[in-house]
Amino acid sequence: MAEIEDLNTEQSYDDVVYGRGVNESGNVHGEHGEHGAHGPRRAGGRHRHRAKRRVRDIVLIVVAVVLSAIILTGVYFAVSAVVVAKEVKSASATVSSLGNIDLTNGKAASSLGTTVKDLDKHIGVAYANTNNPIWRMMGAVPRYGADVTAVRTAVESLHDLSHDALPLMVDAAGNIDQSWFSVHDSAIAMPGIDKVSAKLIKANAIVQKANTKFQSIDGVTIRALRNALTPAQKKMDTVAQTSDSLSRAMKLLPSMLGLNNPNETRTYLILAQGNAELRATGGVAGSWGTVTVQNGRLTLNDFVSEGELEGFDSPVTELSANELALYGDKLGRKPQDVNFTPDFQRTGTIAKAMWEQRFGQQIDGVISIDPVMLQRMLSVVGSVQVSYKNYSPVLDGQSTSRVLLNEAYAALPDPEDQDAFFSLAAKAAFDRMLHMQGSQSMQLVKQLAAAAEQGHAYVWSAHADEQAVLTGTDVSGSLITAQSPKYMGGTAPKQVIGVYFNDAMGSKMDWYLERKVTDTVAETYADGREKHEITISLRNTLNEADVDKVPGYVVGALENGAQKGDIQLINYLYVPAGGAVPEYSAGPDGQKGDDYSLHDGLTVVSKQVNLKPGQSYEITATVYTAAGSVPGQTVLRQTPLLQ
C-alpha cells in the first residue's frame, strides 16, 4: 500500500515540468532536499528546464510551419498541375491544327497568326505555372520526379515553339501570296525569297532545338501522362519535319534555279520512269531528257529513249561489292537499270556518268519523275494531246497513268514507237507546265510536294553543298545508314524500313500488280527499340480469260520458267540501321529469303516471286529497330504505287 501511496503523491505542474520529485520524507527535491530550501540545485535546475521548454516550443513552431508549408505546397502543386494539364491539352490540339494550314492559300498568314496567338496563350499560362521553384523542387521528388520533369520539358519546348519560332513563320507567311512564286513563259520567279528564307531558316533552327528537347523526354512512369506524351511527340515531330522541309527548300531553290548567279547556266538530267516495269524507285528509266536553267528561265530539250543511250560494256562508275551482289553490274551498264537500287543518290551519280560519257554534256543534277507525278501536274495546268502516228491520246489529271503505263503498249506494239511516244509525252507535259497560268503556280507546288512525299519524284544534286541539304529528305531518296546523323532525341539514326521491288523478266506486267504493305508496332522496349510486324501482300489482278489479250511486249521475256500472264519480281526488305530481322516467312510454305545481304551496312532480305493470273502471295517478317532510336518515329519507305 505504501508503494501505491507513493505513486499517488500529488505533484504540481511545475514539479512535473521541472523534474522535481518527492523524497522519502515527503520533501520535494530541489526545495527541501539535500541542500535545503535555498540550496544551489533550485536556481540552476529551473533555468535548465526553462531553456528546454523554449527549445521545445521553437521545435513545435518549426514543425508546424514546415507541415503547413508542405500542405500548402502540395495544394498549390495539385491546383497548378490541373491548370497545366488543361492548358497543355488545349495547346496540343492547336499544334495539331498547324499541319492543316495551307501556305498556298492567300489567307495562310492570317490563319497561322490566329493559331499562333491561341497556342501562345495556352502555353504562356502553362509556362508561368511550371517555371517556378516549386515545380523544380517537385522534379527531385523520388518516384514521380521524372514525370514532373517531363511536363516541364514539354511545356518549355512548346513555349520555344509558340513564343520564338512561330511568330517568325507568321512574318514569313505574310510575305507569301499567290504572286510570290510563279511559273510563266518558261521562267520561274520568286521575288522577295531572301526575306522569306531568312525568317524560315531562323525559325527552323528554333523548331529543331525544341523538337530535340521534346523527343528526349524519358522515364515517365504515370501511364496517363505517357499515353498523352506519345501522340504529342508525333505531332511535334510532324511540325518539325514540315519546318525542316521548308527551310531546306529555301536554301536550295535560289541556287538550283540560278537565281543567286544570273550568269550561271545549269543543266539537269530528267529521268522519266515507267512504273509498269518496276524498279526500286518506281519504274524503268525509259526516257531521258535535259533542262537548262539560267536565272530562273528553263529551256526544255528533247527527250531520248534509253535505247538511244545504248548500254555500256562495263560500269560507268565503280560499283561496291554490296551493289554487285544485290543488283549485278547492269546497275552501272544499262540505262534502264540505273534505279535497281533504292538509293537515288547512287542512281543520280550513275545516270550523270552515263549521259556525260555518251553525249559529253555536263550535268549538274538528276531529277526523276513518273506518270503519277505527270498526272498530278496536269491536274493543275490542264491537259495535253500527244500525237504519234495514228495514236493521239489526251493526257490529263485522270488518264495519264493509264495511257502511259498500259494503253500505249497496245496502241503502239513496236517498242521503238513506244519509246518515241513516251519521249514526246514527257516533253509535252513539262512544256505545258512551263507555259501555264501564273495563278496556278502555288497549286502546282502543292501537287509536286505531295508527289515527292509519295516517292513519285526524286532530286539529286552534283554540287556537294546542295546535296548535303537534300540528303535525308523524302525527295532525296537517300539511304539512312548507321553513318547518317542521329535522330532527334535519340542515339541512333532515324529508323527506316524499306520494301522495294524490281521486275525480274523485262515485262510491263506490273500494271496488273496489286500490292499492300502493312507495318504494325507489336512492342516498344525501354531502350527505344521497337518490334515491327511487316506484311507484304501481292496479287496478280489479271484474269486468266484475258491473258491472250495482253500484247507480247507487255508479257515480257518469260524468264526463269515464267508463263504468259505471270508477274515475276524480286522483293527487297531493308532492315533499319542497327536493327534485325529474326523472323521471315514467304508464301504458303513459309520459305526463307533467297539471299541475306548487306547494303551500306543495312541488312537486306531478297525474295523472287512468280505470280500467275489471279494468284496471291504474302511475305511476313519481324523487324526490330535499333537501341537508342526514338519510339514512334520509324518510317516505312517503299517503291511508289502505280496509281
Side-chain angles (χ1 to χ4, degrees):
M1 293 297 294
E3 292 177 359
I4 296 176
E5 288 175 1
D6 286 342
L7 289 172
N8 290 332
T9 301
E10 293 185 2
Q11 292 177 288
S12 69
Y13 173 77
D14 283 346
D15 293 335
V16 176
V17 171
Y18 295 119
R20 296 182 299 210
V22 180
N23 60 20
E24 293 179 0
S25 63
N27 294 325
V28 178
H29 294 302
E31 286 189 16
H32 305 290
E34 297 177 3
H35 299 283
H38 303 288
R41 285 189 177 183
R42 182 179 181 182
R46 182 168 294 180
H47 285 304
R48 284 195 302 272
H49 291 304
R50 285 177 177 173
K52 288 180 180 179
R53 182 165 63 177
R54 285 195 296 271
V55 170
R56 181 204 65 175
D57 292 343
I58 291 171
V59 170
L60 289 174
I61 292 171
V62 170
V63 170
V65 170
V66 170
L67 287 174
S68 298
I70 292 174
I71 292 171
L72 289 174
T73 298
V75 171
Y76 166 80
F77 184 75
V79 173
S80 178
V82 171
V83 172
V84 170
K86 178 183 177 182
E87 298 300 331
V88 170
K89 183 177 180 180
S90 298
S92 180
T94 305
V95 170
S96 299
S97 68
L98 288 173
N100 298 324
I101 294 176
D102 182 7
L103 290 178
T104 64
N105 189 316
K107 299 180 181 179
S110 175
S111 177
L112 182 59
T114 301
T115 301
V116 170
K117 287 181 181 179
D118 186 49
L119 175 63
D120 199 39
K121 179 185 70 174
H122 293 300
I123 288 302
V125 174
Y127 185 73
N129 273 270
T130 59
N131 191 36
N132 61 49
I134 292 178
W135 275 77
R136 285 193 289 272
M137 177 186 70
M138 295 301 291
V141 173
R143 187 175 180 182
Y144 294 117
D147 300 295
V148 175
T149 301
V151 173
R152 293 190 68 236
T153 302
V155 170
E156 287 176 4
S157 302
L158 291 172
H159 182 263
D160 292 343
L161 179 70
S162 66
H163 193 263
D164 299 326
L166 291 179
L168 288 169
M169 292 185 178
V170 172
D171 288 344
N175 297 122
I176 299 175
D177 57 29
Q178 294 295 327
S179 62
W180 174 75
F181 176 89
S182 65
V183 182
H184 183 66
D185 196 23
S186 299
I188 296 177
M190 303 176 72
I193 188 175
D194 53 340
K195 296 180 181 179
V196 174
S197 61
K199 293 173 183 176
L200 290 178
I201 291 171
K202 183 178 180 180
N204 182 59
I206 300 171
V207 171
Q208 300 310 317
K209 185 176 180 180
N211 190 40
T212 298
K213 185 190 300 183
F214 201 78
Q215 301 298 335
S216 68
I217 297 174
D218 195 14
V220 176
T221 61
I222 300 175
R223 180 180 296 180
L225 177 58
R226 188 166 60 246
N227 291 342
L229 184 62
T230 299
Q233 286 176 317
K234 289 183 179 180
K235 293 173 185 176
M236 184 73 162
D237 193 59
T238 298
V239 172
Q241 289 183 33
T242 301
S243 171
D244 187 55
S245 296
L246 285 172
S247 176
R248 294 190 192 220
M250 292 300 101
K251 293 177 181 178
L252 286 170
L253 287 174
S255 61
M256 294 192 73
L257 294 175
L259 299 176
N260 290 341
N261 185 357
N263 297 319
E264 180 186 25
T265 299
R266 290 199 171 194
T267 302
Y268 296 102
L269 177 62
I270 300 176
L271 305 182
Q273 300 190 51
N275 301 16
E277 183 177 343
L278 284 175
R279 294 292 184 270
T281 60
V284 62
S287 298
W288 299 44
T290 58
V291 59
T292 55
V293 184
Q294 184 178 29
N295 196 24
R297 182 167 292 280
L298 287 73
T299 302
L300 187 65
N301 304 303
D302 289 338
F303 279 67
V304 299
S305 69
E306 48 85 13
E308 292 178 71
L309 270 168
E310 301 179 349
F312 296 82
D313 294 333
S314 60
V316 295
T317 187
E318 184 178 357
L319 301 178
S320 70
N322 292 163
E323 290 172 330
L324 288 170
L326 279 165
Y327 306 112
D329 69 348
K330 288 184 178 180
L331 175 66
R333 291 195 305 107
K334 298 289 187 181
Q336 65 266 38
D337 296 335
V338 292
N339 52 347
F340 265 159
T341 173
D343 184 3
F344 190 75
Q345 183 169 319
R346 285 294 287 151
T347 294
T349 58
I350 296 170
K352 167 183 164 70
M354 285 183 174
W355 188 269
E356 291 179 345
Q357 285 192 30
R358 187 64 73 206
F359 298 111
Q361 183 181 28
Q362 182 177 333
I363 296 298
D364 292 286
V366 179
I367 301 170
S368 171
I369 61 173
D370 68 11
V372 175
M373 177 185 166
L374 293 179
Q375 184 165 294
R376 283 184 172 275
M377 287 169 46
L378 295 175
S379 70
V380 175
V381 303
S383 63
V384 295
Q385 187 168 23
V386 183
S387 297
Y388 181 79
K389 293 188 175 181
N390 296 323
Y391 187 48
S392 300
V394 173
L395 306 181
D396 57 27
Q398 299 293 326
S399 65
T400 303
S401 291
R402 184 180 70 253
V403 170
L404 296 181
L405 297 179
N406 185 250
E407 292 180 0
Y409 295 112
L412 300 170
D414 189 328
E416 292 186 4
D417 289 339
Q418 295 166 6
D419 291 341
F421 172 77
F422 294 144
S423 296
L424 284 175
K427 188 175 188 302
F430 263 91
D431 194 57
R432 182 73 181 84
M433 179 192 73
L434 296 178
H435 293 85
M436 66 183 181
Q437 298 296 318
S439 61
Q440 300 169 320
S441 301
M442 295 300 284
Q443 287 301 317
L444 180 63
V445 170
K446 185 177 181 180
Q447 289 295 333
L448 294 180
E453 184 179 355
Q454 296 168 4
H456 297 293
Y458 294 107
V459 177
W460 170 78
S461 175
H463 299 262
D465 57 338
E466 294 174 353
Q467 184 57 33
V469 177
L470 277 167
T471 299
T473 63
D474 290 334
V475 77
S476 75
S478 53
L479 290 181
I480 304 300
T481 69
Q483 285 68 48
S484 297
K486 302 301 182 284
Y487 190 61
M488 305 166 188
T491 59
K494 185 161 188 173
Q495 302 290 279
V496 178
I497 299 174
V499 180
Y500 310 111
F501 299 88
N502 279 323
D503 184 89
M505 62 179 192
S507 77
K508 302 297 185 289
M509 286 294 298
D510 297 317
W511 170 260
Y512 300 101
L513 176 65
E514 179 183 88
R515 54 188 172 92
K516 181 181 179 181
V517 182
T518 59
D519 173 17
T520 303
V521 180
E523 195 166 356
T524 301
Y525 303 93
D527 62 0
R529 290 182 306 136
E530 290 177 332
K531 178 182 179 181
H532 290 252
E533 299 296 346
I534 304 297
T535 302
I536 304 167
S537 301
L538 308 171
R539 186 171 75 92
N540 185 341
T541 63
L542 180 64
N543 293 323
E544 183 70 41
D546 296 329
V547 169
D548 291 336
K549 300 177 184 177
V550 179
Y553 188 71
V554 174
V555 169
L558 300 181
E559 299 174 352
N560 306 312
Q563 297 179 350
K564 189 174 182 179
D566 289 0
I567 296 175
Q568 193 172 102
L569 51 80
I570 301 175
N571 169 243
Y572 303 86
L573 174 64
Y574 273 64
V575 178
V581 54
E583 298 178 28
Y584 182 96
S585 176
D589 300 329
Q591 298 175 357
K592 298 301 180 184
D594 296 335
D595 187 52
Y596 290 74
S597 308
L598 290 176
H599 187 178
D600 290 352
L602 303 177
T603 299
V604 184
V605 185
S606 57
K607 184 68 177 177
Q608 182 164 307
V609 178
N610 193 90
L611 292 169
K612 296 193 172 299
Q615 184 179 2
S616 297
Y617 193 90
E618 188 172 272
I619 298 172
T620 60
T622 299
V623 175
Y624 286 89
T625 59
S629 56
V630 180
Q633 301 301 327
T634 300
V635 172
L636 175 68
R637 180 186 164 202
Q638 61 176 312
T639 298
L641 297 172
L642 277 67
Q643 301 180 57

